[in-house]
Amino acid sequence: MTEVKKSLNFIEQIIEEDLKENYSKEQLKFRFPPEPNGYLHIGHAKSICLNFGLGVKYGAPVNLRFDDTNPIKEEQEFVDSIKEDILWLGFKWEKECYASDYFQQLYDWSIQMIKDGYAYVDSQTSAVMAEQKGTPTQPGIDSPFRSRSVEENLDLFEKMKNGETEEGVHVLRAKIDMASKNMLMRDPVMYRSLHKKHHRTGNDWMIYPMYDWAHGQSDFIEQVSHSFCTLEFVMHRELYNWFLGVIDIKDQLNPKQTEFARLNLSYTVMSKRKLAELVNNKIVNSWDDPRMPTISGLRRRGYTPASIRKFAETIGVAKRDNIIDVSLLEFCIREDLNKIAPRVMGVLDPVKLVITNYPDGKEEWLETENNPEDESAGTREIPFSKELYIEREDFKEEANRKFFRLSIGKEVRLKSAYIIKGEKVIKDENGEILEIHCTYDSKSKSGSGTEEALRKVKGTLHWVSVKHAVEAEIRLYDRLFNVESPDTDKEKSYLEFINPDSLQIVNGYVEPGLKGAGVSEKFQFQRIGYFNVDKDTTEDKLVFNRTVALRDSWGKQNQ
């Protein structure tokens, strides 16, 4: 059988062409450059899978470089979380780097640019500079400080560095072309004064480089061959290349920037600023709240590294922005958990079922499969007794022909147990059902091979023995927003589209084998969905997070 060769995405095609014409395989090097100003989300996971995946494909090193040039927003907590996320996804970096590692080199290059007439200190306000930049159809106006002498520029720049000038009074700008059609080439700012303590360099620096100046030069220092950015940086590429041209060093490789479409996921927001607002406004409990699209939130909810890698592979790498339906992500986790998650029984909205003809005090331990998708998963035994819990919605006193669960006078099978028949109900003074009474066929035990056991009934219910049941807190998570694109409405805030039912907490019962389940263990609650043991679990209290339901209920709503 001929193996089907997988087609290359456009980024792989670029690399293949470069290997033919511009680079040797030994020169290939990639990087993942997050800013440590928040927790990574599923969009970053796509970029992680892209860059580290290319490293695996080509046997090339991949650096993890923190773009830590803004001490106002960056913290060590975010650095630590980013490293944890990447390792959890299954990737390892060649070197751990920081833009702050290069502050001295960037400063030295800036000094040389001032001497060579490529940079100057501007003392105007940001508002004035913005006005002078012009418009896409009108050229900008030169700053009155553009002709400052080299000596004055060097003196002011050093004072900025040492914190001897007021914060925000001066900036260092590249001297390029105020008439350029690309607005970013109209003397962009390279440095601003910030009298803030940096989480790594302390108070050594009172100036900090802007992204466009630090990013490309960091790529150059590390000799990254291919620098992949999202589409919003297309217009930055000209500036990226201009800066590299200014510092051009013979026999050194100039990195090549290529842009790809960022991931936009339905029913959520992907802006770090908005995600931070959700946390700060206590709409969610934390950055790792299972409703968040952060990698840590997905991990806590019960997503697996394999499911996220599969999702990234499935959506591929595109040249145009589009919105990916979150149902695809949910499909990937269902597909993965279906293979690996043990099947267990849990009842979320319990009502007591009494088998009136089952012997008082009798207990049975019934054998059942752990995972029918995995023969090696083996079997386990679960306790069965006279009194059970079943789901309240699995019973109706009177039901039509399309209701295949328990009702008076009708039969159903209890999973891995017996066929039962509804007889009567016991209610309280308000008409609420307290107990359902039924009878069982003692010869219909699953797997016994009897004629009665082979008898077909249309419904099968899950259950938990009352005597053996373990109480658990069940957190039913759903999509955080109730519209597909919550942050595209120009008249309403995205906060107005919060789904009020994104979290429901119920107290249910699970089979006794789950009592010792550890944090992050994953299970399929039969007929309900996939669940994950939450870190809030204690020795005395089990807490489960619903990862995803067995089926997509949102798809039905939108049909």
Side-chain angles (χ1 to χ4, degrees), residues 185 281 388 488 559:
M185 299 296 288
N281 294 338
L388 310 173
T488 57
Q559 285 177 357

Side-chain angles (χ1 to χ4, degrees), residues 14 56 95 115 244 373 470 522:
I14 289 171
V56 171
K95 291 182 180 179
K115 291 179 179 179
L244 290 173
E373 300 293 326
V470 176
K522 296 162 179 58

Side-chain angles (χ1 to χ4, degrees), residues 120 122 124-143 173-174 176-190 212 239:
Y120 64 98
D122 199 334
Q124 299 179 102
T125 65
S126 57
V128 171
M129 283 189 283
E131 189 176 335
Q132 290 175 347
K133 277 227 171 179
T135 69
T137 57
Q138 291 182 319
I141 300 170
D142 286 357
S143 165
R173 296 178 72 177
I176 307 180
D177 181 6
M178 291 300 289
S180 173
K181 292 182 179 179
N182 184 345
M183 299 280 287
L184 294 172
M185 299 296 288
R186 297 182 185 181
D187 291 11
V189 174
M190 295 172 61
D212 281 320
L239 181 55

Side-chain angles (χ1 to χ4, degrees), residues 270-466:
M270 303 292 278
S271 157
K272 275 188 185 178
R273 177 184 62 79
K274 291 176 180 177
L275 294 176
E277 284 179 352
L278 292 172
V279 176
N280 295 334
N281 294 338
K282 301 190 184 305
I283 294 168
V284 296
N285 296 318
S286 58
W287 282 96
D288 70 346
D289 186 299
R291 291 167 291 181
M292 291 279 273
T294 54
I295 297 174
S296 55
L298 292 167
R299 178 166 63 243
R300 186 174 177 185
R301 185 158 173 167
Y303 276 77
T304 61
S307 68
I308 294 176
R309 294 196 302 267
K310 179 64 176 179
F311 173 68
E313 178 188 351
T314 302
I315 61 176
V317 183
K319 295 182 180 181
R320 294 182 180 179
D321 282 329
N322 63 335
I323 295 176
I324 303 297
D325 197 318
V326 70
S327 62
L328 178 58
L329 177 61
E330 293 169 346
F331 171 81
C332 291
I333 186 59
R334 283 192 192 96
E335 188 177 56
D336 192 34
L337 291 179
N338 182 52
K339 300 172 187 173
I340 64 173
R343 273 53 166 170
V344 298
M345 289 198 274
V347 177
L348 308 192
D349 184 16
V351 62
K352 185 183 287 187
L353 178 77
V354 180
I355 307 174
T356 56
N357 63 333
Y358 193 84
D360 292 339
K362 181 180 178 180
E363 290 181 11
E364 293 183 75
W365 289 81
L366 307 176
E367 187 175 28
T368 186
E369 289 180 299
N370 284 325
N371 187 340
E373 300 293 326
D374 179 9
E375 290 184 7
S376 66
T379 62
R380 72 188 187 287
E381 290 188 330
I382 51 176
F384 185 85
S385 61
K386 185 182 186 77
E387 295 185 345
L388 310 173
Y389 288 124
I390 65 169
E391 295 287 352
R392 191 172 293 275
E393 68 173 18
D394 280 343
F395 174 78
K396 285 184 179 180
E397 282 188 78
E398 298 179 8
N400 59 34
R401 287 182 299 174
K402 293 184 179 180
F403 186 77
F404 298 127
R405 287 168 274 181
L406 184 62
S407 60
I408 301 300
K410 290 188 178 180
E411 291 185 324
V412 295
R413 176 173 290 283
L414 295 175
K415 175 70 177 174
S416 302
Y418 298 94
I419 293 174
I420 61 171
K421 181 178 181 181
E423 301 291 350
K424 69 174 183 176
V425 295
I426 307 298
K427 301 181 181 180
D428 64 14
E429 61 274 14
N430 298 316
E432 184 78 11
I433 295 176
L434 296 177
E435 294 181 358
I436 303 164
H437 288 192
C438 68
T439 54
Y440 87 117
D441 182 344
S442 62
K443 295 180 180 180
S444 65
K445 185 177 178 180
S446 291
S448 64
T450 65
E451 184 177 337
E452 290 83 353
L454 297 173
R455 183 156 48 91
K456 298 293 184 183
V457 291
K458 290 187 176 180
T460 300
L461 308 185
H462 62 279
W463 51 271
V464 177
S465 168
V466 171

